[in-house]
Amino acid sequence: VGACDIEAVHREVAGLAVGVAVDNEYGVAFHSTVLGRLGVSDDEIRQMRDGEPPTDARAAAVYAFARALVRERGKLDVDQMTVAGFSSADVLDVVAECLFASLVGVVDNLVNRVELDAFLHPRAWTR
């Protein structure tokens, strides 16, 4: 997943969308932290953490696709991604990020929440 060619912001938007969708506190804190380091505003991050897509059209397409992917378990149309200008390879990169983030979310839930690392505390999230 780390070797994906998709833009880092889009990868992290997908991870955050999945974290919110699967109630993964660690994932939400992690992806929020990375998005902040990538220059995404606190307002945009808060919006996504509240379940709303970002304002940028391409990032919004990634966000919506990631949420739908985990909720519908892959039974969805990729048109929203291709209309937003993403290639088939980009779509697969987003799918890989979503699957990895979903796995992390399952582990987080199985162990009744992974303790946040200190650097994630400023972006802690609870639903």
Side-chain angles (χ1 to χ4, degrees), residues 82-126:
T82 54
V83 166
F86 291 99
S87 68
S88 296
D90 294 335
V91 172
L92 288 176
D93 284 350
V94 172
V95 168
E97 174 61 39
C98 292
L99 294 175
F100 183 73
S102 295
L103 173 63
V104 172
V106 167
V107 171
D108 186 53
N109 288 330
L110 281 173
V111 300
N112 199 26
R113 306 292 184 204
V114 173
E115 185 177 333
L116 292 182
D117 295 305
F119 79 98
L120 298 176
H121 284 233
R123 300 275 188 181
W125 179 76
T126 56

Side-chain angles (χ1 to χ4, degrees), residues 20-112:
V20 171
V22 302
D23 190 29
N24 176 5
E25 292 175 11
Y26 191 96
V28 171
F30 179 83
H31 294 291
S32 297
T33 298
V34 175
L35 283 166
R37 290 178 179 174
L38 291 171
V40 175
S41 74
D42 288 343
D43 287 341
E44 286 277 312
I45 294 168
R46 187 173 17 265
Q47 187 172 323
M48 288 184 277
R49 288 165 60 118
D50 288 343
E52 298 297 324
T55 55
D56 175 77
R58 286 175 52 86
V62 169
Y63 188 87
F65 180 79
R67 287 176 59 93
L69 183 73
V70 297
R71 288 184 170 163
E72 303 301 322
R73 291 173 275 175
K75 296 177 184 174
L76 70 152
D77 194 338
V78 299
D79 284 348
Q80 64 187 358
M81 293 290 285
T82 54
V83 166
F86 291 99
S87 68
S88 296
D90 294 335
V91 172
L92 288 176
D93 284 350
V94 172
V95 168
E97 174 61 39
C98 292
L99 294 175
F100 183 73
S102 295
L103 173 63
V104 172
V106 167
V107 171
D108 186 53
N109 288 330
L110 281 173
V111 300
N112 199 26

